[in-house]
Amino acid sequence: MKKNDLKSMGKSFTKYILIIGALLILLDFTFHRHEYFSFAEIYGFPAFFGFVSFVFIVMLGKWLRKFLMRKEDYYDQ
Amino acid sequence: MISNFIPGLIMIITSFLLPTIPQYFRHPAMLLSVGLSALSLFNGYGTFLEWDILGLNLILYQSDSLTLPFAIIFHIAAVLVIIFSWHSKNLMEHMATLAYAGSAIGALHAGDFFSLFIWWEATALTSVFIVFAGNTNAAKDAAMRYLIIQVSSGVLLLIGTCLMLYQTGNHNLVVLDLKTNFGIFIFIAFGIKAAFPLLNGWLQDSYPESSVTGTVALSAFTTKLAIYALARTFPGTDSLIWIGAIMTAFPVFFAVIENDLRRVLSFSLNNQLGFMVVGIGIGTELSLNGTVAHAFVHIIYKALLFMSMGAVLYRAGTTKASELGGLYKYMPFTTIFCIIGAMSISAFPLFSGFVAKSLIMSSLGGMGMVLIYFILFFASAGVLEHSGIKIPYFAFFAHERKNKFKEAPINMLIAMGIAAFLCIAIGVFPKYLYQILPYTVDYQPYTLDHVISQLQLLVFAIIAFLFLVKFKLYPSEIRSTVLNSDWFYRKMLPGIGKPLFKKIGILTESLYKNLGLSFKQVLSKSYKFSNLSYIKVTTPSFAGTILISILFIMLVIVLV
């Protein structure tokens, strides 16, 4: 097996996911997406919501480490 | 005849007979007992067994449209666990697992609170041996804490039941509310097992300490039994909507920073329970169907994810993300099964999570609950983060690995394969799942709006992940302990209690001295009590003292 299998896999995965993402956004322009709440019908709203939520979760989680993270043997001390 | 037995009872009887059965026949015998128990699924609805004792009418075996889907999935889960543990020779764990699954199935068929209480405690007492079978010091400590919490839940249920019988003369499983004191006791009892916010510490504490196979068994029954009990007795209780919404959102942040992947899955389990609790809180036919459907598919994909991490633990000896990665080359089948579980829990279209979660989301949307709807939508991105990406990424990819590992044993692959098949089959043909739900369903999950909306959310959340990794913003895994609500009884209370007891000891000693009492024995005992080494309270017993005190105070309040 090649050494950089994982790297090339990552690259092609990124490429395909970006293509799918672009198609999903383009698809949004071709029909009217019905949602329960009118503001969610804005073009690409779920995509935007997904992206922002994900970044927010990771960033807030990272920040919470300051308060919640202890050494591995914390409870054994 | 055997189909008129209480479902699950045959499994408990078999579990006690297991030591007499030769090793090679134990697993077939376990499977056979599950099969015999499953015959009861064909009995239809009704009350099949009652028992008049001490002036009480116990309904030991009843079945209806809410019982059936849970009974089906509990039997399936039992089969999966047995196949997954086929290689194991741990007799205690096998006995505990079979009796635990049998107790959970028995509990589903209880028609009154006293019968439910007996099964409720039976699940606690049997499952603690599964945690115990983790066979490490950490597992043994966790097992003691687990037992205290689980039994406390049972005691609260018993108090609530006695109060209910005293005040209403009725102890049947009926719909309750939070306006009565017994309703509150029973609600908290269920809430402990359903891992409500701040009552959830036991789950993330004990599950990851169990063995390779034990965690799979634990993940299936206790919490879903609590969901069933809540759905039966508290449908439409408004506070459950908020409790559930908090449950979906908060564990997400803990899962991001947790290093042990089985603990990540335990946080994820908590988040999934939140969706079900919201469904119960809404209390409409659609939402209750959603809760049941979600519990059904969740048991399968969560078991699949725990099985894949169990296989990793079995081969690599750890599930710490900081020490894993690159296993895809050596465990390709496990990798694929894990990804199928990850896609199911993330609710990708054509996977089981999608067809179940949609019911709950649609009922929220239909009711116009905009805030809760978007909290759950947000939590869906969180599910993708911790279970959809983090689990497979850190275990199987992340970086190349030089030392080689074997693929999981064949029995594990078969169990994972069955679960993976069910995840896809239910996702592609949801009508078979919808047919067994409590209420008649006229629901189509695969509308273009819905599919595109969900795909946009998920795909762009993945793009966010790639973006964060690319710019090195994604947090690296660090060996650590993440504080959770069990901190209160593992650190805070002993932190206050130990010095307090020491001070009381010293005070008592000086009091005796000042009073000039010459009870030498008393003095020496008191001296010993004030000695730090004597005072060293182990966490489980200390937590037990506190919990029992709290229960006692609550009992006094009620009696007054």
Side-chain angles (χ1 to χ4, degrees), chain B residues 516-535:
Chain B
L517 294 173
S518 57
F519 299 117
K520 280 189 179 176
Q521 267 190 321
V522 177
L523 264 175
S524 66
K525 273 187 184 170
S526 167
Y527 174 75
K528 272 185 190 167
F529 190 60
S530 67
N531 187 333
L532 189 66
S533 64
Y534 187 80
I535 283 291

Side-chain angles (χ1 to χ4, degrees), chain B residues 111-128:
Chain B
D112 67 283
F113 279 108
F114 278 114
S115 308
L116 181 66
F117 162 76
I118 294 163
W119 292 116
W120 200 257
E121 291 294 41
T123 57
L125 294 175
T126 47
S127 58
V128 73

Side-chain angles (χ1 to χ4, degrees), chain B residues 153-165:
Chain B
S153 162
V155 172
L156 288 170
L157 177 58
L158 184 62
I159 295 172
T161 308
C162 291
L163 285 171
M164 183 182 169
L165 183 66

Side-chain angles (χ1 to χ4, degrees), chain B residues 493-494 496-514 522-523 525-532 534-535 537 542 545-546:
Chain B
L493 289 180
I496 298 168
K498 279 183 191 176
L500 194 70
F501 278 123
K502 194 183 170 191
K503 283 225 167 97
I504 292 170
I506 294 166
L507 271 175
T508 320
E509 193 181 340
S510 63
L511 198 69
Y512 277 124
K513 272 184 185 167
N514 288 339
V522 177
L523 264 175
K525 273 187 184 170
S526 167
Y527 174 75
K528 272 185 190 167
F529 190 60
S530 67
N531 187 333
L532 189 66
Y534 187 80
I535 283 291
V537 186
F542 184 79
T545 317
I546 296 294

Side-chain angles (χ1 to χ4, degrees), chain A residues 1 5-6 24 27-28 31 34-36 39 46-47 51 57-58 61-62 65 68 70-72 74-75, chain B residues 252 257 320 328-329 362 374 399-400 449 452-453 456 460 473 475-476 478-481 483 487 491:
Chain A
M1 284 190 204
D5 267 0
L6 213 51
L24 283 169
L27 211 64
D28 229 13
F31 78 109
H34 296 279
E35 295 277 355
Y36 290 105
F39 61 87
F51 190 92
I57 288 164
V58 172
K62 213 167 151 182
R65 270 188 169 167
L68 296 174
R70 297 288 184 276
K71 282 183 180 170
E72 203 170 27
Y74 174 71
Y75 284 115
Chain B
V252 162
I257 48 178
K320 288 184 179 144
Y328 75 100
K329 272 183 190 168
S362 293
F374 281 100
H399 53 81
E400 295 289 355
D449 304 310
I452 296 295
S453 176
Q456 277 196 12
F460 276 82
L473 291 168
S476 56
I478 303 172
R479 296 181 69 142
S480 59
T481 297
L483 300 186
W487 176 83
K491 272 286 179 188

Side-chain angles (χ1 to χ4, degrees), chain B residues 447-509:
Chain B
T447 62
L448 192 60
D449 304 310
H450 195 184
V451 171
I452 296 295
S453 176
Q454 182 70 1
L455 277 177
Q456 277 196 12
L457 176 88
L458 294 174
V459 168
F460 276 82
I462 295 173
I463 291 173
F465 169 73
L466 296 170
F467 166 83
L468 291 171
V469 170
K470 172 86 181 166
F471 293 99
K472 300 198 184 333
L473 291 168
Y474 195 85
S476 56
E477 291 308 308
I478 303 172
R479 296 181 69 142
S480 59
T481 297
V482 176
L483 300 186
N484 189 14
S485 59
D486 55 344
W487 176 83
F488 290 105
Y489 55 83
R490 290 178 73 181
K491 272 286 179 188
M492 193 191 83
L493 289 180
I496 298 168
K498 279 183 191 176
L500 194 70
F501 278 123
K502 194 183 170 191
K503 283 225 167 97
I504 292 170
I506 294 166
L507 271 175
T508 320
E509 193 181 340

Side-chain angles (χ1 to χ4, degrees), chain B residues 261-331:
Chain B
L261 294 180
R262 291 203 301 169
R263 194 158 274 125
V264 171
L265 285 177
S266 305
F267 280 116
S268 157
L269 203 168
N270 217 162
N271 144 289
Q272 293 289 298
L273 295 170
F275 285 93
M276 300 172 214
V277 170
V278 169
I280 299 168
I282 301 166
T284 60
E285 289 191 354
L286 184 63
S287 75
L288 287 170
N289 267 346
T291 293
V292 176
H294 202 219
F296 194 99
V297 298
H298 160 87
I299 287 177
I300 302 170
Y301 57 63
K302 185 55 74 180
L304 176 55
L305 287 166
F306 269 120
M307 284 193 278
S308 67
M309 287 304 105
V312 167
L313 178 65
Y314 188 68
R315 288 304 192 206
T318 182
T319 48
K320 288 184 179 144
S322 54
E323 286 150 58
L324 288 171
L327 290 175
Y328 75 100
K329 272 183 190 168
Y330 311 108
M331 305 178 80

